[in-house]
Every structure is written in structure tokens, then in C-alpha cells.
Amino acid sequence: MPYDIGATTGYADLKSRIHTFLQDNGWTLSGTVIYKGNVFAQLTDNTAYLQLVGGQGESGGALTDTCPAISRIRTDAWGTDVTFPCTYHFFVHTSPDVFMCVINHNTLNVQWMTFGEVNKYGAWNGGQYFGASYNSGSLHNVWQFSNWRCRFYNTQAGQNTNCGIGYFWASTDTSSGGYGNMQMVCDLDGSAGDWIDNHGTLSTRNFNGSYLANNLVPYSPNTFNSQAVLVPIHLYHNRPSDFSSVIGEPGHTRYVNIKHYNAADIITLGAEKWMVFPHHKKSANSLTDPAVYPSGSETGYLGFAVRYDGP
Amino acid sequence: MPHEIGTASGHYDLLAKIKAFVTSTVEMGAGNEWSIERDDTTGDDHELILNGPGLTGLEEIFVGIKTYQSVDDDYFNFKVMGATGYSLGDSFEAQPGSSGMKGVPLWDATIPYWIIANAQRIIVVANVETIYQTFYIGKMVPYASPNQYPYPLAIVSMLTSAPATRYSDTSYNFGFKNGDTGAFVIRDNAGTWLSPKTWPWKNAWIGAAYYTATASEEENLRDTGGVYPVLPIVIWETTPNHYGEFDGVYYVSGFSLAVEDTMTIGGDTYLVVRNAARTGFQDYIAIKLD
């Protein structure tokens, strides 16, 4: 069954459970690398975090063509620190291959980790991605969460920002050497094997799923039927000469406004079921007004949904 | 979905060809053809009111097309509308629950056309001296169950009413663009005809000019490695509401695309149509033909 829920006692336990779950569902563990098809990932546990890095191959149990950036689920989180035991949700899907881990800690708080391959639009090479709630940076620059035009999660005038927090959401770490929290292989306008990420301003190496969600996710749920639309995540990639392309969408996930939902609630649509989560922590804010933003750890009503095949 | 590509000799002939196509069991498939409530060609203003069976085959979807013209002013147009029923004794303009009249500038000379229809909506594209006129009459695809939104009727045209506008007028746009201009209306559950916005127009990262965005945000989409992804056109408003999307009509970037180009995506053929004579990046749609 491509869904599992349970309690984890720490990052070593969480890593072990992920490896076991994925191997039970057709993935291969070689040394420290868990892989399937074109998707290669390496998990490293620590007392303070579970770290994820992606590669483009495996040799002798080690990643090859490894991404220079890393992503983490971490104890020292913005807002409420992670305490164990906490609940985990695992999802794995095929066509395309996608793994998603969500931990729900201290009742209202969420962190997530994912790797997989996008449904690509057009002819380009790559599409393997990975990411988690945090990048490698420290927390000190994270500030209030603002979502004006679905631009960034952690930006407010005059503030430097660091982490992305959001699932495929634009991040705005413009510091030297900084990275976003999501990375993907994409050779459009670049070279074979190049990694692009969701940080920075409008550089040509930037991608995200949030820009095209502008208008759609914040202005929900519907007044006329109280339902929140599941919005496909169209990945927007900046190109040279002030153009952009829609390069694909991550499979089995959607953006959704969670005003009427809490973490791990299930939406049933005909034969489909989707489990919804906040990007970090739900709060009563539609995030349609740039002047009204929640506290630093909160992500308003914006959330994401994962296709759910469980009971 | 059924479609026909042809040439009409003028606006009267175009109306006749639309009627012939959408009421044909052969063309539409058994059970998908529209029935005629009114077909009046006796006067100068020809009238056609149709009743569509919907995708369930159990519905009644009322739409109408009427010519209006002036030789003196050199316009030969359609007015299109949607309604909640049909009344024999009422005029075309006074049908029950009418959307109001929305104009389509045409002429009385040769008109290459595309008719794309199914049991719930009719789309027509007319090439009037390279100025492309598009209208959509019928149901859109609601983001709601039939119980929640039983009659999601949409009327998309070129003019906000039915004025004496010649096709060469440069001020009008197809109603798909931005949405809330008045050339596009949908009927809500209260029976009110709304003129909501359309996405991805209105998106700060594509249609940035609408939001007076900064220069860095004024970007436009282009192809993706030679392929043009099409995006659903989402009907929304800040209330908030997301009513649904059009059936078979999509947003596509105008980057290096030309009107009447066709694209194949996932085995389906899409026709590229532009906004009247405009050639801007945000002035194109793709209509699924098959």
C-alpha cells in the first residue's frame, strides 16, 4: 500500500522507516542511496535533522552528479521545535515516481520532505527534484510570512530571508551562495545535468510552482459551495530575455486552500482521495493582502494536497 | 470533439452552417445534436435558438444566435445569448433568464470558419479579413458538483453588448482575455449574470500589466523546448470564487506562434486563435479540435 502512517522516535528511525517503506514499494537501496528510475536520493540522519540530497546516478552505493544544495527536516524549526515521538505520513506514487514524507509535530506543525520526478512539458532533460521544509541555512534571517502574489513565503520589506518552507514555493534567498529548499535537474538554457532551484529573484536558474498559483490558491475556498479547488502546480521557470516557460508539474500533488481543513484531513472527489497539509503551520490568514501577514512560523490558509490511497 | 472547418459566403450563411452542423446527428453523434427551438429566416434579422442535451443527454441548455446588420454602416454581425428556457411568445432578446446580447462583428463576404461543438457548448471562430472573431455559448466546466452548480452557462463574445460596431473597430477584445470586460458572462446559482476574471490573465507573473507590476514582473510565457503547454482558463473572482474553466479552450503564449497554427498535445489537436487582429503574447488561445 503506497501510504503509511505511524509514530517516529527520531531522525535515525525516520530514515530507516523511509528506506523500508520505499524498498517495499519498488525502490532500491544501495549503500546510502535510495533510488528508482531517474530519481536518486541520499538521506543522512543527525540528532538535529534529517538531511536530503539528490543526485543523478549511483555508483558503489554513493550518489553521482550530486546537487550542491541540501534540504532538511530539522528540530530547530521556525516557530515550534520538533519533539519526538511525532506522527509521520509516507506517500509513494508512480508515473511519475514521487515520494513524500510529512511529519506532524506538536499538534499543528508540519515539516515535509520529498523527492521524485515531474511530469515534463516540452523537450528538455532532467525533471528529477528533491526538497524539504528547510535548506541548509540557519534560521536567523527568516521573518514574517508574506504571500503577496504568491511570490515568496518569507519576505517583508527590508527583511533578508532565507528558507523557502513552502512546497515548490518561491523562496527569496539572495545571499551569496544561498540556496532554496527545492532543487531540480533542468538543462533548458543551461548544460546537461544542471540543477536549478527555487531561490533568488528572477534569475534564469529559478523555478517555482507558486507564481502561477497567484489568483488561484489565496482566493479560495469558494463562497458559493465552500469548496477549495485543488490547483495543479504549474512549474514556472525563468528564461533569458524576460520570458518564462511552464516546464511541468510535480505528480500527485496540488496546491489547496486549507481554510476548512486541518493537517491530514482527507478530501474525497469521486474515486480520488487527497490528504491535505499546511506548508508549515496553518493560521487564519488568506494571504491576499500584502500588509497582513501571520507570524513567522505560520503559512496561513495555504497548503498542499497529496494523492492518498490509504483507508 | 466534432468540428467543421469551412468557408461561408457571409454572416447569414455562417449562421446556416452553424445550424446545420450542430443539429446534425451525423456530425455531432447520436444524442449529442442540438435541437432547434426557433429558426426564423423570414426577416432581415435571422434568429436561431438552440437547446443542447448536455453531456448527460438529460439537460436543456438554451443558447441563441441572431444576425443584425446595416448596409449603410457596413456591419453584418451576430448577437449571441444564453437563457434558462425558451418562450415561443417572447422575442429573441426577451427569452427567460437571458444573459443579454453580446455582439460578434462579421461581414457579408467570404468567412473562413471553424465550428467546434459538443453536447454542452458551441465554439465558433470566424476569420473576417484576418480579424478573428470567436464566441463560446453553452456550459463551462464547473468546479462543483451538478447539485452545487446545476446550470453553469457561459457566454463569451467579442462585444460587451450588440452595438453598431464594424469588424474593423480596433477597440474590442475576445471575452476570454481578462474576463471582466463585459464580453464574457456566466450565470451563477442566484440567476445573476456575472463578469468574473479569467486566469492566467490577471496573473501577476504573466498578465502583469493589469496589476501595474514592477518591470521585473512583466514577463510572458514562451515555448518549452519547442512545445507550447496550454493552460486551462480558470474563471474566478476575489469574492472568493473559482467557478470553473472553459470546455476545450486554453491559454497559450503567442511567442512565435501564428493564428491558425495547429499543435498536437497528448494525441489531441489544438487550433491557435488570436484576439481579433492582435498579436501580443497574451492574445492567443488554443481550442481543442479532437
Side-chain angles (χ1 to χ4, degrees), chain A residues 121-123 149 151 202 211-212 214-216 219 221-225 227 229 236 238-239 243-246, chain B residues 143-144 148 199 202-206 211 216-217 219-224 227 229 236 240-242 255 281:
Chain A
Y121 300 158
R149 297 178 185 166
R151 186 169 183 173
L202 295 176
Y211 284 5
L212 291 178
N214 178 225
N215 316 126
L216 301 181
Y219 294 105
N222 288 337
T223 303
F224 80 94
N225 66 354
Q227 292 197 339
V229 176
Y236 177 103
N238 293 292
R239 308 288 301 278
F243 284 98
S244 303
S245 288
V246 182
Chain B
Y143 294 158
Q148 294 170 340
W199 178 97
K202 306 292 192 185
N203 177 282
W205 305 99
I206 301 177
Y211 276 117
S216 64
E217 295 171 340
E219 299 212 345
N220 282 289
L221 294 180
R222 57 166 293 175
D223 66 294
T224 306
V227 173
W236 71 285
N241 276 313
H242 290 81
F255 181 91
F281 299 117

Side-chain angles (χ1 to χ4, degrees), chain A residues 33 35 37-41 54-59 62-66 128:
Chain A
V33 180
Y35 68 95
N38 296 318
V39 182
F40 298 84
Q56 298 175 51
E58 173 270 336
S59 179
L63 283 177
T64 60
D65 298 308
T66 306
Q128 309 96 302

Side-chain angles (χ1 to χ4, degrees), chain A residues 102-169:
Chain A
V102 181
I103 64 167
N104 189 182
H105 66 94
N106 302 87
T107 308
L108 298 177
N109 299 272
V110 156
Q111 291 192 42
W112 52 269
M113 174 176 281
T114 185
F115 42 92
E117 194 166 18
V118 299
N119 285 316
K120 294 192 292 185
Y121 300 158
W124 50 283
N125 297 307
Q128 309 96 302
Y129 66 84
F130 71 93
S133 293
Y134 290 90
N135 66 5
S136 58
S138 60
L139 295 176
H140 66 279
N141 281 334
V142 178
W143 197 245
Q144 279 96 343
F145 171 84
S146 174
N147 186 49
W148 191 38
R149 297 178 185 166
C150 295
R151 186 169 183 173
F152 305 125
Y153 253 4
N154 300 298
T155 184
Q156 192 59 32
Q159 299 296 332
N160 290 320
T161 57
N162 201 324
C163 300
I165 290 184
Y167 177 67
F168 277 102
W169 211 270

Side-chain angles (χ1 to χ4, degrees), chain A residues 23 32 48 55 61 73 79 86 92 106 127 133-134 148 152 161 166 182 185 240 244 282 295-296 303:
Chain A
Q23 289 176 92
T32 60
I73 288 176
C86 69
V92 67
N106 302 87
S133 293
Y134 290 90
W148 191 38
F152 305 125
T161 57
M182 299 211 67
V185 181
S244 303
K282 179 181 175 180
S295 66

